[in-house]
Amino acid sequence: MARVSSPALDPRIADRLKRDPNGLVCAVVQQHDTREVLMVAWMNDDALARTLATGRATYWSRSRSQLWRKGDTSGHVQLVRKVSLDCDGDALLLEVEQVGAACHTGDRTCFEATTLPVAAPTA
Amino acid sequence: MARVSSPALDPRIADRLKRDPNGLVCAVVQQHDTREVLMVAWMNDDALARTLATGRATYWSRSRSQLWRKGDTSGHVQLVRKVSLDCDGDALLLEVEQVGAACHTGDRTCFEATTLPVAAPTA
């Protein structure tokens, strides 16, 4: 990703995060207008600080162990409209304008390819 | 939760899951019609098997280390309409009919209470 100075995460936000043993929280990414769930990714404090400071969705890649600003390679950037923290501080909801496909496969969302069979609930 | 026999997870599904070190995958829960993102929870193989077999959303509680069928205590059940697996097998999307509030605080969703300030993107 582009070399940028690293903004600090507001300590009042940092205090509210409940990170996993790897220092990460889950980020659910939703297209702001259609409300499609596009993907799930992971953020450490630095990724969240950069996302909030720039409005460009930035994640922590668990496979590559590095920050990853969505779209730097693919052009499929995410322009962030809203960020919400959940009630227990371990998940974020990003409402974004997704440019192009969210999924690396070229699908619009990461959830299109596989539907699992589910029974009709009886209660 | 109610004592029920434990269904087995289809091995073809189990083979596609990429579990974290605790054997869990992330589950994003969305109201099927309004498309609100309601909450994020966690599933092990048993929770997913029960969800698919019964149509009632069932999770693994990381804090209580036990299965948790949503609504057994609160009455706020989730009737599952669709389950999708993401492209890399580590996240599920559940589209549900949420009865009552999804959040233990009484809010409709777990993401209502806290919005984080985000800059307008410049690119």
Side-chain angles (χ1 to χ4, degrees):
Chain A
M1 62 180 290
R3 187 176 298 273
V4 292
S5 64
S6 184
L9 186 62
D10 184 327
R12 291 168 297 183
I13 296 172
D15 282 350
R16 296 195 51 189
L17 297 181
K18 197 169 82 182
R19 304 164 191 81
D20 75 7
N22 296 313
L24 303 177
V25 296
C26 171
V28 177
V29 190
Q30 182 177 37
Q31 172 67 27
H32 71 97
D33 47 6
T34 65
R35 312 193 87 177
E36 298 161 283
V37 175
L38 298 169
M39 55 182 272
V40 169
W42 301 87
M43 287 189 177
N44 59 11
D45 285 29
D46 195 12
L48 178 56
R50 288 172 190 248
T51 297
L52 297 177
T54 65
R56 285 279 307 274
T58 305
Y59 306 107
W60 179 255
S61 169
R62 297 180 300 171
S63 56
R64 289 177 286 129
S65 295
Q66 63 182 35
L67 286 172
W68 156 57
R69 192 170 72 170
K70 177 75 176 168
D72 275 354
T73 304
S74 65
H76 297 163
V77 305
Q78 292 173 342
L79 309 177
V80 181
R81 301 292 185 91
K82 186 176 179 185
V83 180
S84 306
L85 181 65
D86 83 341
C87 55
D88 60 2
D90 66 355
L92 295 157
L93 177 61
L94 273 66
E95 295 171 58
V96 307
E97 174 66 33
Q98 171 70 57
V99 175
C103 188
H104 74 284
T105 63
D107 284 346
R108 173 71 177 167
T109 88
C110 292
F111 293 99
E112 282 170 33
T114 305
T115 302
L116 304 182
V118 59
T122 56
Chain B
M1 60 180 290
R3 188 175 299 272
V4 292
S5 63
S6 183
L9 186 61
D10 184 327
R12 291 167 297 183
I13 297 171
D15 282 348
R16 296 195 51 187
L17 297 181
K18 197 170 82 183
R19 303 164 192 81
D20 75 7
N22 296 312
L24 304 176
V25 296
C26 171
V28 177
V29 190
Q30 182 178 38
Q31 171 67 27
H32 71 97
D33 46 6
T34 64
R35 313 193 87 177
E36 297 162 283
V37 175
L38 298 168
M39 55 182 273
V40 169
W42 301 87
M43 288 188 175
N44 60 12
D45 285 28
D46 194 13
L48 178 57
R50 288 171 189 249
T51 298
L52 296 177
T54 65
R56 285 279 305 276
T58 305
Y59 306 108
W60 179 254
S61 168
R62 297 179 301 171
S63 56
R64 290 177 285 129
S65 296
Q66 63 182 34
L67 286 173
W68 157 55
R69 192 170 72 169
K70 178 75 176 168
D72 275 355
T73 303
S74 64
H76 297 163
V77 304
Q78 293 172 342
L79 309 177
V80 182
R81 302 292 185 90
K82 186 176 179 184
V83 179
S84 306
L85 181 65
D86 83 340
C87 55
D88 60 2
D90 65 356
L92 294 156
L93 176 62
L94 272 68
E95 295 171 57
V96 307
E97 175 65 34
Q98 171 69 57
V99 176
C103 188
H104 73 285
T105 64
D107 284 346
R108 173 72 178 167
T109 88
C110 293
F111 293 98
E112 281 170 34
T114 306
T115 301
L116 305 183
V118 59
T122 56

